[in-house]
Amino acid sequence: MHRHDVVVVGAGLAGQRAALAAVEAGRDVAIVSKLHPLRSHSGAAQGGINAAVGAEDSVDTHIYDTVKGSDYLGDQDAIEFFCREAGPTVVEMEHFGTIFSRGSDGNLARRPFGGQGFPRTIYAADRTGLALLQALYERLGTESFTLYEEWDLTRIVVQDRRVQGIVAFDRRHGDFAGIAAKSVVVATGPAGRIYGRTTNAHSCTGDGIAAAYHAGAQLKDMEFVQFHPTALLESGILITEGARGEGGILKNVGGERFMSRYAPHVLDLASRDVVSRAIWTEVKEGRGFPGGYVHLELMHLGRERIESRLQEICDFCRNFAGVDPVTEPIPIMPGQHYMMGGIGTNIRGETNIAGLFAAGEAACVSIHGANRLGGNSLLETLVFGKQAGNAAAAYSDRAAPTDISEEVVEGESRAVHAMTDRKEGEEPQHLRTEMQATMDELVGIYRQPQELLEAQRRIGALKLRFASVRVVDRSSVYNINLTDALETGHMIDLAEVIVAGAIARTESRGAHARVDFPKRDDANWMKHTLARFTPDGPELSYAPVAFTRWEPKERVY
Amino acid sequence: MEAEFVKAPIEVYRYDPGTDRAPRYDRFELELAPHTPVLTALLKIRSDLDPSLTMRYSCRSSICGSCAMVINSKSRLACQTPVGPELERHGRIVIDPMRNMPVLRDLVVEMGGFWGNYRKLEPHLVENPDRPLPEGKTSSMSPEEVDRFKETPRCIACGACYSACPAVEHDAEFPGPMSLAKLYRFVVDPRDGAHRERLLKIQTGGLWLCMRCHLCTEACPKDVRPSERIRDLKEMAIRLQGATEHGSKHAIGFKDNIREKGVLNEFKLVRQTYNSLEMLAQVPQGLKIRRKKPELTQTPKAIEGLAEVEKLYQILDDEPGDSP
């Protein structure tokens, strides 16, 4: 058995930042990740990171924009803390060596992003996540910690409502091990692959969220799923909001700049939920291009600007859609992009289980509420990664030693090997495809009650079928067929929570748009959804939203 | 946007060193639209035909660097390589694991050596005492300074360059193109205070083992152009401390040597590169050359138009180069 003070699961920006904080606090730290840290999905973030550092901008405006963007479901105390940390966080990352884009004055360049009053999104061309991930990895590399690289998490062990550590296996030879820890930080990112049409990487399967849920952690606001307005038509690859920040515009089949009808003041740079619904409506009402999509036009920006500021986007369009954005419009449709929900935490990253912490997209503090603003997620990973790392370090300092028994490890190993030993059964990839089709069709941008109930029925059936899932590959070396199965199980559990939350919430708020309840209902629904695991499905309860200075108003862009 | 489907025969390297006696190729027949990425084809194989095929992949949009492999003999990203042009050129698609790294299983290679070589070069910012980071503020960088990073920030550490590199294959001392491109990124960073140490260390740390074949630049899916950054490092190293070991002496010797007669004096180049003691070790090789190609051991005559050559050299001398 392995033993550490703090075990961080996930090695993206939140996980690495948490690990750095815990190492700096003098703890024995390990990172467990199914990917090499530089392969993390944080690296795919394109557009930028928000910080109100411009002379005309203010932290208060950043707070207000985030509160409004959240459709008043974000906790205002957390949002205030978050926005105040933005400036110092960017400075720290710049000092770690991040290569940001700069203006001719030598200072960090900023671009406008959706739903925000000022150009406050600091960026590194259109690969801001990669630039931050590299710098943080380089900085963390100067410290001493243990990296369990390409290990798959199967369980977070909790006894008497206290974390004991995790069980995981080394993908390289399939050996299971208990990793005892006084504190566990979950930073495994989102579960975007619950949907088929998503901008997320194949690895975004919510492993840590599902493990925490099974261990008794409360999941918060899972029904709030963000659809990014501009994903490439066929592949779902993300086209950054920065493309519209640089001046890109959306047009329907009639060549109309249709956003003028949905957001007359800020047009294409309205909040993401607003733009996604607008595109959906255009296509649904017959103003899309044949096959069902709209155009994102950049051509008027000129070759120089497109190729220098949107370099990766140019490559994506040329390589993956056969379209040159310098001379042609880009065919786009909204795609699943971000989960506002996650493991419920406070601003220190603490969950309802002693010793269990969470940060980044796996967590829900909540600062994004019902809809996240572009540029706030990279910031979240760093601000709350650090918070969770500090809290985990402090907790481990006063916690008694923990232990994971051999029986627990063997039990995990047996349960997993039952899948490879089975002679009959459905293969995980087929269950996954069905789950994705269900979520795409029935739990999308607009939600109908009958469709949600049908989704609940189908996901419930998938859950039963998953109990006899069969892994064909029997090798102990790098068996990703086994990983397929584990991930699929995690996602089915989380899909069930998303659907349950969506059925219960009889209002429209942010990214959750119910056709039968088109208005926000502050009297009844100004509250967070909490989901707790039971063998019969999620048990829902509700918690109040924290308010400080901003009274709810109708959102107009 | 509907494209016609084409027949796509795909042959995939399969090997589980623990259980298989030898590697084999499994052949799969798919019907694919020509713009389908190889990664999508492989995922289709995994989903419909053989779930035991193992590989690394994640983002499918050429930013995570997971799916580098050898496709029809070239090291590249599976997600960024459409099947159509491969089928047109080769009639089939043959997929192997990356080279220069031991195979763990199928298309998955052990990348410990690759990452180790990278970490050995201490890839992290070392504060520059001449230009301290401003307290509580971001530092400033002129547009010229920003330009010096070239395309190195685009590197996704996929390993395609490492797989394509013959110097990596032949010499364990060579850190590999990616590591050197990363090193360059720190050497030109005005915030970094270890420029000199980095250059001094790499002079004898394998820099000169690069033989300038540019296969890394050809392989790089992000246009980082590692070989050009290695060239820049070599230039900067020479400017810093002159020619101090074989690689730089050979490079400088080559340059001075041709200037004399307009043609390479091979025998002299040996003397320009090695000291007397080291020359002794070259004697057997020298004798062999003398037997097979005696003309190479004779002093060549100056070419006609030597003055033209001299003019070229003067232009080069006047050209300002990068200095650390």
Side-chain angles (χ1 to χ4, degrees):
Chain A
M1 190 187 60
H2 308 273
R3 192 182 287 282
H4 303 277
D5 294 333
V6 178
V7 163
V8 179
V9 192
L13 284 172
Q16 287 193 47
R17 191 62 191 82
L20 180 59
V23 169
E24 284 181 332
R27 298 281 92 79
D28 170 5
V29 177
I31 298 182
V32 180
S33 173
K34 66 176 178 179
L35 300 169
H36 183 279
L38 286 176
R39 309 275 181 245
S40 305
H41 191 54
S42 299
Q46 297 172 1
I49 177 166
N50 292 335
V53 293
E56 75 286 15
D57 202 354
S58 73
V59 172
D60 263 7
T61 322
H62 186 191
I63 297 168
Y64 172 69
D65 288 342
T66 303
V67 168
K68 178 183 171 188
S70 82
D71 219 349
Y72 298 90
L73 192 67
D75 287 323
Q76 296 184 3
D77 52 350
I79 294 172
E80 292 205 22
F81 171 80
F82 168 70
C83 295
R84 288 205 178 89
E85 287 297 307
T89 300
V90 167
V91 169
E92 179 178 78
M93 289 308 297
E94 200 273 337
H95 288 189
F96 285 175
T98 308
I99 301 173
F100 285 111
S101 293
R102 288 168 188 270
S104 50
D105 62 355
N107 293 321
L108 305 191
R110 284 172 281 123
R111 59 165 57 122
F113 248 46
Q116 302 183 57
F118 296 98
R120 69 164 69 97
T121 306
I122 289 159
Y123 59 94
D126 51 353
R127 49 173 175 272
T128 314
L130 182 68
L132 294 168
L133 188 66
Q134 285 172 346
L136 184 55
Y137 177 70
E138 289 154 5
R139 171 66 186 82
L140 184 60
T142 65
E143 304 287 352
S144 155
F145 65 97
T146 308
L147 176 63
Y148 296 87
E149 184 188 329
E150 298 189 323
W151 282 55
D152 284 302
L153 169 75
T154 67
R155 185 170 167 192
I156 295 170
V157 183
V158 173
Q159 249 165 28
D160 306 325
R161 300 194 59 75
R162 218 197 114 197
V163 152
Q164 301 291 315
I166 65 166
V167 180
F169 68 91
D170 185 344
R171 205 182 276 174
R172 282 155 206 245
H173 33 74
D175 295 340
F176 275 75
I179 306 176
K182 294 175 189 165
S183 305
V184 170
V185 182
V186 176
T188 51
R193 284 278 156 180
I194 288 177
Y195 288 81
R197 186 171 165 71
T198 174
T199 63
N200 282 195
H202 287 282
S203 54
C204 296
T205 54
D207 309 323
I209 309 175
Y213 176 56
H214 276 274
Q218 283 175 331
L219 305 189
K220 197 197 286 178
D221 293 339
M222 290 290 284
E223 64 269 32
F224 294 98
V225 177
Q226 180 166 79
F227 292 83
H228 196 287
T230 58
L232 273 182
L233 184 61
E234 198 176 351
S235 58
I237 289 171
L238 174 67
I239 302 297
T240 174
E241 189 163 308
R244 281 170 288 135
E246 294 293 340
I249 54 179
L250 294 162
K251 286 192 177 170
N252 63 19
V253 71
E256 182 204 4
R257 188 176 186 180
F258 57 85
M259 280 312 298
S260 61
R261 282 186 276 113
Y262 299 88
H265 305 293
V266 295
L267 301 161
D268 307 90
L269 280 178
S271 200
R272 286 179 180 173
D273 54 336
V274 174
V275 182
S276 286
R277 282 195 291 271
I279 295 170
W280 190 258
T281 305
E282 287 301 294
V283 171
K284 194 114 194 207
E285 293 181 355
R287 293 186 294 277
F289 289 85
Y293 60 93
V294 300
H295 277 163
L296 171 63
E297 288 191 0
L298 304 180
M299 297 94 81
H300 56 285
L301 303 177
R303 178 178 298 275
E304 204 282 323
R305 184 154 172 186
I306 298 172
E307 289 188 344
S308 64
R309 304 220 191 148
L310 301 167
Q311 194 175 21
E312 306 296 331
I313 294 303
C314 282
D315 275 12
F316 294 158
C317 292
R318 289 167 186 162
N319 290 330
F320 302 116
V323 164
D324 186 347
V326 174
T327 56
E328 300 163 272
I330 307 168
I332 58 95
M333 266 306 272
Q336 191 285 340
H337 181 59
Y338 188 86
M339 292 173 52
M340 272 67 75
I343 302 164
T345 73
N346 59 19
I347 65 169
R348 292 180 297 281
E350 294 162 344
T351 68
N352 59 315
I353 294 172
L356 183 66
F357 304 80
E361 197 171 341
C364 177
V365 180
S366 140
I367 49 165
H368 309 306
N371 172 65
R372 175 177 71 81
L373 294 185
N376 269 354
S377 65
L378 284 176
L379 183 59
E380 180 192 21
T381 62
L382 296 165
V383 169
F384 291 106
K386 183 177 174 180
Q387 286 287 97
N390 280 330
Y395 178 84
S396 73
D397 199 28
R398 55 178 196 268
T402 56
D403 193 39
I404 294 178
S405 69
E406 275 307 305
E407 292 86 81
V408 168
V409 177
E410 274 165 28
E412 279 303 291
S413 173
R414 252 196 321 277
V416 168
H417 284 119
M419 298 193 281
T420 51
D421 292 341
R422 222 161 259 149
K423 299 277 180 290
E424 305 257 308
E426 291 185 273
E427 293 177 26
Q429 61 273 24
H430 300 147
L431 298 177
R432 183 183 296 207
T433 308
E434 275 193 52
M435 169 194 64
Q436 292 172 336
T438 301
M439 297 301 281
D440 282 348
E441 268 174 54
L442 306 174
V443 199
I445 293 177
Y446 280 107
R447 296 164 175 187
Q448 314 230 16
Q450 299 81 3
E451 290 186 347
L452 290 175
L453 289 170
E454 173 62 13
Q456 189 171 46
R457 192 191 62 75
R458 288 197 211 167
I459 298 291
L462 282 169
K463 201 171 146 186
L464 287 178
R465 286 157 64 189
F466 182 79
S468 55
V469 72
R470 177 186 176 222
V471 172
V472 172
D473 187 4
R474 304 204 58 193
S475 174
S476 56
V477 181
Y478 221 90
N479 184 342
I480 57 169
N481 194 202
L482 181 55
T483 305
D484 285 337
L486 294 170
E487 292 173 343
T488 302
H490 296 152
M491 289 191 288
I492 291 173
D493 285 340
L494 299 180
E496 192 183 26
V497 180
I498 293 173
V499 174
I503 289 172
R505 189 174 280 273
T506 49
E507 65 158 352
S508 289
R509 182 185 296 271
H512 175 66
R514 283 277 296 254
V515 292
D516 50 340
F517 294 95
K519 289 258 181 270
R520 197 174 77 198
D521 177 0
D522 289 342
N524 294 303
W525 286 105
M526 181 74 83
K527 56 190 181 187
H528 297 294
T529 308
L530 298 176
R532 194 178 66 87
F533 173 84
T534 80
D536 304 323
E539 182 187 284
L540 301 185
S541 60
Y542 294 90
V545 176
F547 283 85
T548 56
R549 292 184 277 163
W550 287 272
E551 285 302 315
K553 285 191 286 195
E554 198 187 345
R555 267 166 94 222
V556 181
Y557 285 102
Chain B
M1 302 197 80
E2 285 299 306
E4 270 186 47
F5 281 50
V6 294
K7 272 201 189 333
I10 299 180
E11 291 167 37
V12 188
Y13 177 96
R14 306 299 300 272
Y15 186 43
D16 189 341
T19 53
D20 299 345
R21 248 181 290 158
R24 64 175 198 277
Y25 287 87
D26 281 354
R27 191 182 161 94
F28 302 95
E29 293 275 354
L30 300 179
E31 301 260 329
L32 299 167
H35 68 274
T36 309
V38 168
L39 176 64
T40 307
L42 288 168
L43 293 181
K44 214 171 151 56
I45 291 172
R46 288 200 62 234
S47 156
D48 302 344
L49 303 170
D50 185 353
S52 74
L53 170 63
T54 190
M55 57 203 262
R56 287 193 180 100
Y57 63 95
S58 182
C59 78
R60 58 75 166 89
S61 58
S62 66
I63 201 74
C64 78
S66 299
C67 68
M69 50 187 75
V70 175
I71 300 166
N72 284 340
S73 302
K74 285 191 173 163
S75 301
R76 44 192 158 176
L77 295 180
C79 71
Q80 202 183 272
T81 308
V83 295
E86 293 306 306
L87 292 168
E88 271 174 39
R89 207 168 306 143
H90 303 276
R92 59 181 183 159
I93 296 171
V94 182
I95 302 175
D96 287 277
M98 280 201 284
R99 303 186 190 108
N100 295 331
M101 291 167 254
V103 173
L104 266 173
R105 187 179 155 209
D106 295 350
L107 302 176
V108 179
V109 292
E110 171 55 59
M111 296 186 78
F114 168 78
W115 295 118
N117 279 344
Y118 163 56
R119 278 195 299 271
K120 226 161 43 191
L121 299 186
E122 296 171 63
H124 56 87
L125 214 59
V126 174
E127 192 164 352
N128 186 350
D130 298 333
R131 196 168 154 169
L133 296 165
E135 182 84 30
K137 284 199 311 193
T138 55
S139 48
S140 179
M141 232 184 258
S142 71
E144 295 72 38
E145 287 172 328
V146 172
D147 284 347
R148 295 188 67 199
F149 288 113
K150 304 270 184 357
E151 298 295 327
T152 53
R154 293 191 76 194
C155 175
I156 55 173
C158 64
C161 62
Y162 195 86
S163 167
C165 176
V168 168
E169 186 185 344
H170 288 290
D171 212 315
E173 291 294 299
F174 186 58
M178 172 270 203
S179 299
L180 291 172
K182 288 274 184 190
L183 185 76
Y184 169 91
R185 166 253 172 280
F186 286 100
V187 168
V188 299
D189 194 324
R191 295 168 295 188
D192 190 74
H195 299 184
R196 283 176 57 86
E197 294 71 20
R198 292 182 195 279
L199 284 171
L200 294 176
K201 206 170 151 194
I202 201 62
Q203 266 274 43
T204 52
L207 176 63
W208 292 93
L209 294 170
C210 164
M211 33 199 153
R212 308 185 68 167
C213 67
H214 299 292
L215 285 173
C216 54
T217 291
E218 197 192 314
C220 178
K222 304 302 283 187
D223 207 23
V224 169
R225 313 188 79 76
S227 57
E228 295 180 12
R229 303 295 77 81
I230 294 172
R231 177 203 63 202
D232 295 340
L233 285 171
K234 286 174 174 175
E235 278 182 22
M236 287 188 271
I238 289 178
R239 270 174 226 279
L240 181 66
Q241 61 167 14
T244 52
E245 44 55 74
H246 298 152
S248 45
K249 282 187 194 165
H250 185 267
I252 298 277
F254 209 96
K255 186 186 92 172
D256 296 344
N257 184 311
I258 294 183
R259 194 171 198 162
E260 280 175 28
K261 310 263 176 164
V263 63
L264 188 67
N265 181 344
E266 298 266 5
F267 191 63
K268 188 170 179 186
L269 185 61
V270 179
R271 279 182 285 146
Q272 287 170 313
T273 306
Y274 299 109
N275 66 31
S276 320
L277 206 62
E278 291 163 342
M279 292 254 302
L280 276 177
Q282 301 294 326
V283 166
Q285 179 74 0
L287 290 172
K288 207 158 127 195
I289 291 171
R290 177 172 223 155
R291 202 165 57 241
K292 289 194 172 157
K293 291 208 166 171
E295 67 279 8
L296 287 183
T297 57
Q298 280 151 24
T299 308
K301 290 197 185 71
I303 61 161
E304 274 179 50
L306 188 60
E308 294 295 310
V309 173
E310 181 54 29
K311 271 187 205 158
L312 286 174
Y313 269 86
Q314 275 168 18
I315 292 169
L316 286 174
D317 283 347
D318 292 342
E319 184 109 317
D322 283 344
S323 59

